[in-house]
Amino acid sequence: MNGRAVWSVLLGALSTATMPVAVLLTRYSESYDLLHAGFAIPLGMALGAAAVATARSARKLDERTLGRLGGARTATVGRVLGILGFCIATSAAIAVGVYELLEYVGSRE
């Protein structure tokens, strides 16, 4: 089995779950606000990028072994999860940026 493909799925799943888990943790915490979940954005992006890179490496390894090692489909799943996690983190970064812009504009009046 292609271990890199399995790692790409694991990293992609962690990337996809990073922002929802960060938001969920703020719901049950007295000391953290929703805006504090923004500190998980770089982690989600890094895990997503790592998942895509690991999936690419797994596919190259599968090609070098002429498909005998397997894991091409697993690497594809890891790549999709990594891209999804990266997109979720990017949309969270845009949301935080728009919030900060509105706060800045609102404080000037």
Side-chain angles (χ1 to χ4, degrees), residues 18-87:
T18 298
M19 291 313 301
V21 168
V23 170
L24 183 68
L25 290 176
T26 62
R27 295 278 295 163
Y28 297 107
S29 175
E30 300 270 335
S31 59
Y32 295 112
D33 293 334
L34 183 60
L35 195 56
H36 289 114
F39 290 115
I41 291 171
L43 178 64
M45 287 182 166
L47 287 171
V52 171
T54 307
R56 178 177 289 145
S57 173
R59 289 187 65 93
K60 285 183 182 178
L61 182 62
D62 183 53
E63 287 174 7
R64 278 184 287 192
T65 60
L66 302 176
R68 283 181 244 146
L69 191 58
R73 288 183 183 165
T74 307
T76 302
V77 170
R79 181 174 183 255
V80 169
L81 286 173
I83 291 171
L84 178 64
F86 191 86
C87 288

Side-chain angles (χ1 to χ4, degrees), residues 99-109:
Y99 173 80
E100 290 297 329
L101 177 67
L102 292 175
E103 281 287 319
Y104 174 73
V105 170
S107 69
R108 294 186 67 208
E109 295 178 356

